[in-house]
Every structure is written in C-alpha cells, then in structure tokens.
Amino acid sequence: MDYNLFGNSDLNVSKYALGTVMFSTNGLVEAGAMDQTTANYMVDYALDQGINHFDTANMYAKGDAEVIFGKAIRDKRQDMIISSKKGFQLIDKPTDTGALINVDSSIDALLKRLGTDYIDLYYVHCWDGQVDVSETVQEMNELIKKGKIRHWGVSDYNGWALAKTHTWAVENNMIPPIAQQIYYTPESREAEYEILPAGKELGIANSIRSPLGEGLLTGKFTRNKMFEPGTRQGNGWPETYIKNPDLFYNLIDLLQDVASKHKATVPQIVLAWLRDRPNVDSIILSARTKEQLHENIASYNLKLTNEDISQINDLTALEPIYPSWHRAMNTLDRASNAEKVYLDEYIKLMDRKNQTGL
C-alpha cells in the first residue's frame, strides 16, 4: 500500500481507505446491515493490508455506523486516521437544517459515538449556499482550536465553491480545508472539468467516494440483468444518476471484457483504473461482506495495460465544454500540470471527431 501526505497537511494517508457506510446493525439501507463481529474483522483486515484511513459520517444510519465503527476501533486508534462528516438533515425539524447547525453538540456526540477524543479530518458534508463561507471556515477553525478535530475538509462542492472557501480562509489567516470528498467513476467523470484540478492546484487532497457508482459498477447490473434484492441498488437506493444508458451498458460490457482478460472482477478493474488517474489521492472502499473487502483491496496489485486504459478512457471521454475546448485548442501550452492531462484528452477526442467528419 502506498501513502501520501493529504493535501497541505501532515496526514500520511493510505491510497485506499475503508468506508463505513455499511457498518450498521440496522443499515443505511436494508442491504447495509452488518454485525459487530464482521465490522471488527473488516477494520482488522484493512489495517493488516496497510490501510490506515477510515471514513464515516453521522448520516450513515443516523449515527449507528459511527457507533459500530467506534467499537471496532478498540485499541487501534493510534494506527488510524479517522474522518467523518456532518451536514445532511437527520431529523424532520426546521432546526436541523443547514451544514453548520449545532456543530459543537454534533462533534461532541460524534466523539462519544466513536469513543475517541478527536478525529483527524472533519468534512462539511455538502455545500450550503444559505450560509456565508466565513461562518463555515470560522466554525471549523474553532473546532481545531478546541482540539476536537485536527483538520477539516468539504464534500461534493463545485470547483468555484471550493476555491471561494479556500481563498477566504487563506486571506483571513485561517486554516483552509485540506481535503475534498467527491464522486468520480469511469461512468461519471465530470469532476475532471474543474473539481479535480482545482483540488490539486489549491493543495486540497482529492478523496474519491463511491468508486463503484454506489453499486452500479459491480458488474451485477447489465443489459440483460436487473439489480438483485439484497444489494444497495436492488433495495431502492435513490442514487446515482445515469446520464447516458447506452454508454453505461457499453462500459459494463468493456469492463467485463477487460476483467476476463485479467482473470479479475469488474470492481477490481474500476478501482485499478481510478487508482492511477491523475490528481486522485485516495479511494474510499465500501464492502458489505468479507469477500467483497478482500476483492476490493486485492485490486491494488492489479496493473492495467495501456490498451485497457485507452479503451476505458476513449469510451467514457468527456465532451469538452466551454472554455475547456477553447483552451485546449488555443492555450494548451499555458495549462498547469493539474489540468493539462484533461485538456490533452479533449484534444484527442476533438481530433477523432474531426477525422470522422462529425
């Protein structure tokens, strides 16, 4: 397992992280139910495989996942980098609205559920456009001063919101976010437009959540096979959004072909592709069973060929949007390292279209 400093921080984080969305006796969704013994095993196995980053959130079964994970920590806290998140409404009351509501009481309840004195990284779970960015920055800085968190981050922000938050913090001599948690898969690559390069440019680590598309990219769902009961998508999970069904099914077909060539599984191919994508610092794995955990972590040793990567990249290439296509055409030589790889891919796509007369 490889490690890297997380953004502009002292956190030395493993490339793979273990998410706890399934750590719950009642489940975030029905498919997520897990007993304590299994949760203990998953934490131990992850640590044995070199994973030191563990991610949770107060919305996972309304805190129950944090309780299960807290019990699974046992005497291993010193070996862990723990992140959690707050921001979604948990109770149906007007007073529980907004990313910063009851921050102090929420962090205290979180620490109690986890059985620890502090967490290493606390994410604002979603952008709140009704709250001035100064409030968010100051609240997170207060938690750092109190010793309840070491660092803070954001989740599912637009590129401009990320930049606005970071800029306000730096200009006001406060601690900016050191990481962002985002959705990014070969089926959904929109983060390449601005979010991934923005993170890199600002010194903010890019941590990828739901790398298997919240169950969409497991290979269990194909043109001829619907989701099975007992899986996340099969139990009525509302996410995610498939923009182009034809492209999605073509991708599944391709992933199955590549997996067959490597004697691997579709999830392993997806994770291997993500692992080596530019500007990706961390990938959060989630597993419902021991077998899934073993399979996902084993993908770290899978090496895709250049042909494999090109096939996946070409099939799922993003259509360049303005000003990306304009900059790729006219100012490619002035691009930063964080964005140049994406502009190069736009050029290749535009060239292919020009050659076919489209």
Side-chain angles (χ1 to χ4, degrees), residues 2-68:
D2 295 306
Y3 304 83
N4 57 271
L5 291 177
F6 224 38
N8 291 332
S9 80
D10 60 346
L11 298 181
N12 200 27
V13 173
S14 54
K15 185 81 177 207
Y16 278 4
L18 180 62
T20 64
V21 66
M22 298 296 182
F23 278 37
S24 174
T25 52
N26 59 20
L28 174 62
V29 289
E30 186 179 342
M34 179 184 297
D35 59 42
Q36 187 66 55
T37 300
T38 302
N40 292 351
Y41 174 88
M42 289 191 168
V43 168
D44 292 345
Y45 186 79
L47 286 168
D48 288 343
Q49 297 301 306
I51 291 175
N52 69 354
H53 182 195
F54 296 82
D55 182 74
T56 189
N58 69 342
M59 73 164 291
Y60 298 165
K62 298 185 179 180
D64 194 35
E66 291 173 329
V67 173
I68 300 299

Side-chain angles (χ1 to χ4, degrees), residues 145-358:
K145 289 178 183 177
K146 293 175 181 177
K148 296 181 180 182
I149 67 175
R150 292 176 62 192
H151 304 277
W152 71 285
V154 300
S155 177
D156 295 323
Y157 273 38
N158 292 90
W160 66 265
L162 182 71
K164 181 177 181 179
T165 301
H166 181 275
T167 300
W168 193 93
V170 171
E171 289 183 345
N172 288 275
N173 299 312
M174 292 193 175
I175 300 170
I178 60 109
Q180 63 171 335
Q181 202 169 110
I182 60 175
Y183 182 72
Y184 179 49
T185 76
E187 186 274 330
S188 183
R189 294 173 56 180
E190 295 89 342
E192 295 177 5
Y193 284 129
E194 288 193 357
I195 301 173
L196 282 163
K200 187 68 172 180
E201 290 289 339
L202 295 168
I204 295 173
N206 294 314
S207 184
I208 310 305
R209 68 168 182 86
S210 307
L212 300 180
E214 301 189 344
L216 288 173
L217 299 176
T218 60
K220 297 176 181 177
F221 180 41
T222 66
R223 297 176 192 275
N224 303 313
K225 187 177 181 182
M226 297 300 294
F227 292 110
E228 299 175 354
T231 63
R232 190 190 298 199
Q233 294 291 339
N235 279 27
W237 185 247
E239 298 184 21
T240 59
Y241 172 54
I242 300 177
K243 302 169 294 301
N244 185 333
D246 286 338
L247 175 61
F248 171 78
Y249 289 123
N250 289 338
L251 173 62
I252 294 297
D253 290 342
L254 174 59
L255 293 172
Q256 288 176 327
D257 288 343
V258 175
S260 178
K261 184 173 71 173
H262 287 275
K263 294 183 171 57
T265 65
V266 168
Q268 288 177 323
I269 301 303
V270 173
L271 293 171
W273 180 84
L274 278 171
R275 180 197 64 218
D276 294 331
R277 287 299 292 167
N279 303 321
V280 169
D281 298 295
S282 169
I283 300 172
I284 302 173
L285 309 178
S286 179
R288 184 165 45 91
T289 66
K290 297 176 183 178
E291 292 74 22
Q292 288 176 352
L293 182 64
H294 297 165
E295 174 187 321
N296 289 346
I297 295 178
S299 70
Y300 200 74
N301 296 316
L302 175 62
K303 183 66 176 177
L304 299 181
T305 66
N306 290 335
E307 181 184 9
D308 298 330
I309 295 169
S310 292
Q311 286 181 314
I312 295 171
N313 288 353
D314 291 348
L315 176 65
T316 62
L318 286 177
E319 191 69 40
I321 58 175
Y322 178 81
S324 297
W325 59 260
H326 189 272
R327 296 189 58 236
M329 285 179 170
N330 298 292
T331 58
L332 185 62
D333 62 323
R334 307 310 302 167
S336 70
N337 291 334
E339 62 178 343
K340 188 175 186 301
V341 61
Y342 309 122
L343 297 180
D344 283 337
E345 291 182 350
Y346 301 150
I347 287 288
K348 291 177 183 178
L349 176 60
M350 290 187 288
D351 285 345
R352 288 200 303 271
K353 286 194 169 187
N354 288 336
Q355 291 169 8
T356 59
L358 296 176

